[in-house]
């Protein structure tokens, strides 16, 4: 379940490799790492420094995926030179509370990108709903830290939104289009035997539409 976003990314990569849409340059970046108990494991209160220099106070060790995903966003923008970035992750349980098991969330401050993703999802036959990027939640929901630039989680309310706002802090250029897909609900279905492959088709459809 926790690698559902990486699975969707690999699925989209295979689709794009096999269909080879013209005029497309796509980079598929997966922030994979070991997630086992060890002497160097995260502890509540740790202060981490991300690859862009921003510091993060760890107040929830179960919100570890966004820490590696943040570095992946920095890599995509700075090293790969991506001008449009869409990340996909089973990031929060809060999105399941909000949208249930069949609908995933789209987060982006860019209306044009939101429309592109919604159109791609419709073509792919996958259900998404655009969620708000309520910037005031950053402070009111407890994402600020006395000791670091930010915390890795906030209060229970609005958890999917504050998670998206966290990721947004790792896109530095105003001209970079960025979207976040929280697919925690539809990515898994026990009645169908587990993983569903959700979002791979939407991602591939969106990437193909970017051809010049």
């Amino acid at each position: 379940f926790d690698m559902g976003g990486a699975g969707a990314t690999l699925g989209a990569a295979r689709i794009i490799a096999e269909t080879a849409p013209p005029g497309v340059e796509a980079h598929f970046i997966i922030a994979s790492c070991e997630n086992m108990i060890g002497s160097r494991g995260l502890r509540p209160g740790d202060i981490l420094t991300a690859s862009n220099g921003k510091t993060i106070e760890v107040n929830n060790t179960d919100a570890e995926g966004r820490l590696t995903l943040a570095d992946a966003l920095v890599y995509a923008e700075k090293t790969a030179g991506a001008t449009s970035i869409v990340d996909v992750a089973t990031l929060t349980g809060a999105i399941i509370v909000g949208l249930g098991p069949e609908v995933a969330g789209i987060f982006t401050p860019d209306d044009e990108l939101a429309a592109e993703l919604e159109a791609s999802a419709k073509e792919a036959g996958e259900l998404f709903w655009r969620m708000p990027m309520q910037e005031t939640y950053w402070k009111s929901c407890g994402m600020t830290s006395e000791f670091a630039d930010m915390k890795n989680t906030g209060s229970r309310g609005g958890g999917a939104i504050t998670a998206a706002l966290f990721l947004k802090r790792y896109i530095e250029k105003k001209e970079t289009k960025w979207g976040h897909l929280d697919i925690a609900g539809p990515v898994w279905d026990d009645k169908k035997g587990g993983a569903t492959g959700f979002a791979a088709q939407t991602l591939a459809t969106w990437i193909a539409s970017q051809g010049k």
Side-chain angles (χ1 to χ4, degrees), residues 33 87 134 186:
C33 63
D87 73 71
Q134 187 64 28

Side-chain angles (χ1 to χ4, degrees), residues 36-145:
M36 296 289 287
I37 296 171
S39 62
R40 298 180 65 192
L42 289 175
R43 296 175 176 85
D46 282 354
I47 305 293
L48 304 182
T49 302
S51 59
N52 65 349
K54 292 184 178 180
T55 54
I56 307 161
E57 177 189 352
V58 176
N59 67 339
N60 186 337
T61 56
D62 194 39
E64 79 287 15
R66 66 192 65 183
L67 302 176
T68 58
L69 185 52
D71 277 347
L73 292 174
V74 174
Y75 183 92
E77 186 178 52
K78 286 190 173 182
T79 304
T83 54
S84 295
I85 301 171
V86 175
D87 73 71
V88 55
T90 52
L91 202 64
T92 68
I95 199 70
I96 303 175
V97 174
L99 297 179
E102 298 180 6
V103 182
I106 294 176
F107 296 84
T108 178
D110 189 289
D111 291 338
E112 183 178 356
L113 179 57
E116 291 175 2
L117 290 170
E118 287 171 337
S120 296
K122 185 176 181 180
E123 183 176 341
E126 295 180 323
L127 297 176
F128 283 87
W129 189 264
R130 188 180 183 186
M131 300 290 286
M133 297 282 291
Q134 187 64 28
E135 194 64 42
T136 56
Y137 283 9
W138 185 256
K139 185 175 181 179
S140 65
C141 291
M143 293 297 291
T144 57
S145 169

